[in-house]
Amino acid sequence: MKLFNTLTQSLQEFKPINDTVTIYVCGVTPYDTTHLGHAFTYVTFDTLIRYLEYKGYPVKYVQNVTDIDDDVIRKAGELGMAWDELGNREMERFLSEMDSLNWRRPDVYARATDEIERIIELARTLVARGLAYESEGCVFYSVRQDKDFGKMAQAVGLNDYQSMLAIANERGNFPDDKRKRDPLDFVLWQAQAPGEPAWESPWGPGRPGWHIECSSMSMHYLGEQIDIHGGGADLTFPHHTCEIAQSENYSGKAPFVNTWMHVGMVYQEGEKMSKSLGNLTLVRDMLKKYSADAIRILLQSHHYRYPWECFPEDLKIAADTAYLFTQVREMVGQTLDGEDRMLHNRFIAAMENDLNTPEAVLLLRHAAQEALETKNCRLGSEVLRLTGVLGLTA
Ligand SMILES: [Zn+2]
């Protein structure tokens, strides 16, 4: 199977390090509702994992939940709720909405607040190696001390310090923080602000930064080097750039990740779908009108690496396709009899080519039409076997 590695900007033959494929996907910050952009990321990795399991690989899948951060604290304050109460509620909502989309839950779903001890150990080691420093109860990663810093940023075209800094500013890196030695330095441990939740540390009470939780969890649950690490395309910098720096300098091993996979953004009315812009298509609203199969088909009809815009017509086509598969199920019944090697091989070829689900869905749609027109139960059985690999439930 070939997968595109963002770090090398090339298609690479996928070869797992050990027998069990190790996959880490950056998870949500639980303070708001799940939208189609989230669903695109998590259904993409769900489809990949189902396919790898279908090929016979055991998979260990870890995802984090950033249950403490500025957004959680702010939103909880606005709602008059405790930060952990809001976090628990939104985390449960996310899991149940993804369950409704028939995802295979991660084997480990890890909370940042359960990771504190290991995060402190990681930060302490980086300080001891001169790559991080304490300042007024915070710990910052010192970008200038790390000659290799910026590997992922460079891969996506941020070639120098200034272009990294411009994006970091945009994405909330707090360049004006007087406690930092350099505007690009990022926080590993954040000193407690008045009224905020805090945990004890060698630098006083505080809470972990965001990037470090993923380094810590990925290395703890999956090992210092893993097969696949993924997330939305907006995580390449700073998040994944910082993860690589922290992890490789902690473990002394490179690469931290063999294949970096990034999922394109979903647009609505010409703008990136985002909480801050408020142009969201929420998964729970879509589920009132469309089946999980229709929503999965909509997502799988777009190649994961590219941005796309959600148009109503595309949802209609996806719903029609889902209906075709249920008609095939009615014709064939529950017992799948016979196989169609040609369809099977073409499906596999599409999936092996960097998870080309749009081609796979189109093949199955055409095969379903043909099976219904010619009352071909053997072809229909193959269609249903393969829609099962895509996580559809027709
Ligand atoms: Zn992450």
Side-chain angles (χ1 to χ4, degrees):
M1 182 180 200
K2 286 198 160 59
L3 290 172
F4 188 84
N5 182 2
T6 315
L7 191 60
T8 58
Q9 292 286 298
S10 62
L11 279 173
Q12 285 172 202
E13 192 58 39
F14 175 68
K15 258 198 245 91
I17 301 166
N18 293 307
D19 293 341
T20 298
V21 176
T22 46
I23 301 186
Y24 185 96
V25 177
C26 292
V28 294
T29 302
Y31 74 100
D32 220 326
T33 33
T34 315
H35 62 70
L36 198 61
H38 297 126
F40 188 41
T41 296
Y42 301 114
V43 167
T44 291
F45 289 104
D46 182 66
T47 308
L48 172 68
I49 289 163
R50 284 172 180 278
Y51 182 68
L52 291 170
E53 289 181 334
Y54 170 75
K55 279 164 66 88
Y57 291 113
V59 174
K60 187 170 181 191
Y61 172 25
V62 177
Q63 193 178 127
N64 66 306
V65 53
T66 308
D67 61 345
I68 184 76
D69 94 331
D70 292 344
D71 288 322
V72 175
I73 293 170
R74 177 185 49 76
K75 185 77 186 275
E78 285 167 19
L79 296 172
M81 292 172 80
W83 65 273
D84 48 350
E85 197 189 336
L86 173 69
N88 287 336
R89 184 185 81 181
E90 293 304 322
M91 190 183 99
E92 287 309 321
R93 279 185 182 166
F94 169 74
L95 291 172
S96 94
E97 284 170 14
M98 290 308 301
D99 286 347
S100 303
L101 291 179
N102 191 34
W103 80 332
R104 170 203 179 286
R105 277 199 180 194
D107 300 297
V108 178
Y109 193 65
R111 294 166 181 262
T113 54
D114 287 334
E115 194 65 22
I116 306 273
E117 268 181 49
R118 287 186 289 270
I119 287 173
I120 289 172
E121 176 51 30
L122 214 170
R124 210 205 314 238
T125 305
L126 293 174
V127 171
R129 292 189 183 155
L131 287 161
Y133 57 91
E134 190 268 342
S135 175
E136 297 180 36
C138 296
V139 177
F140 295 100
Y141 191 87
S142 181
V143 169
R144 299 263 187 207
Q145 292 299 316
D146 178 359
K147 301 278 171 291
D148 277 339
F149 186 80
K151 283 182 192 169
M152 178 64 78
Q154 280 159 21
V156 297
L158 302 172
N159 290 317
D160 53 33
Y161 179 88
Q162 284 308 327
S163 46
M164 282 195 272
L165 188 59
I167 301 288
N169 290 351
E170 235 176 79
R171 297 183 180 165
N173 184 48
F174 308 109
D176 299 332
D177 192 328
K178 295 282 178 287
R179 297 170 293 188
K180 291 187 196 182
R181 291 179 190 164
D182 186 288
L184 202 55
D185 290 351
F186 58 92
V187 71
L188 304 180
W189 185 262
Q190 195 163 326
Q192 182 181 27
E196 286 191 354
W199 288 260
E200 282 309 317
S201 83
W203 315 284
R207 56 186 165 95
W210 169 38
H211 312 309
I212 197 166
E213 92 189 44
C214 289
S215 283
S216 179
M217 289 177 190
S218 181
M219 289 193 284
H220 175 68
Y221 290 107
L222 296 173
E224 290 174 341
Q225 295 181 290
I226 70 165
D227 293 309
I228 296 171
H229 191 120
D234 54 349
L235 296 185
T236 48
F237 182 82
H239 189 52
H240 288 159
T241 304
C242 299
E243 276 191 44
I244 291 172
Q246 296 161 158
S247 306
E248 293 184 354
N249 284 306
Y250 175 80
S251 71
K253 291 177 190 162
F256 168 45
V257 172
N258 274 356
T259 307
W260 285 94
M261 291 176 69
H262 290 97
V263 178
M265 299 287 107
V266 181
Y267 285 72
Q268 179 101 350
E269 291 151 9
E271 300 260 28
K272 183 183 127 183
M273 201 174 276
S274 79
K275 286 169 186 173
S276 48
L277 291 169
N279 58 340
L280 302 179
T281 300
L282 299 182
V283 169
R284 66 163 181 245
D285 292 338
M286 292 181 82
L287 281 164
K288 289 176 195 154
K289 284 200 240 166
Y290 298 98
S291 67
D293 276 8
I295 298 170
R296 286 184 75 101
I297 290 167
L298 171 76
L299 300 169
Q300 290 165 339
S301 298
H302 296 87
H303 192 267
Y304 77 88
R305 267 169 55 203
Y306 302 103
W308 54 284
E309 176 146 5
C310 180
F311 293 111
E313 309 88 87
D314 296 330
L315 251 169
K316 196 179 165 303
I317 294 169
D320 288 349
T321 307
Y323 180 63
L324 273 178
F325 296 150
T326 56
Q327 284 179 298
V328 172
R329 173 64 71 188
E330 276 170 30
M331 178 178 86
V332 169
Q334 287 308 313
T335 315
L336 302 183
D337 232 350
E339 50 181 40
D340 187 294
R341 291 315 288 177
M342 178 132 70
L343 176 62
H344 178 268
N345 292 344
R346 292 174 72 194
F347 175 88
I348 298 295
M351 298 294 276
E352 296 282 305
N353 179 21
D354 196 22
L355 202 73
N356 192 342
T357 56
E359 193 178 323
V361 168
L362 203 62
L363 279 168
L364 295 179
R365 181 185 161 95
H366 290 155
Q369 280 164 332
E370 187 189 329
L372 290 167
E373 279 161 19
T374 57
K375 304 211 170 10
N376 182 342
C377 284
R378 182 184 51 78
L379 181 59
S381 294
E382 190 66 53
V383 167
L384 294 174
R385 210 171 280 126
L386 299 174
T387 54
V389 177
L390 294 178
L392 306 177
T393 55

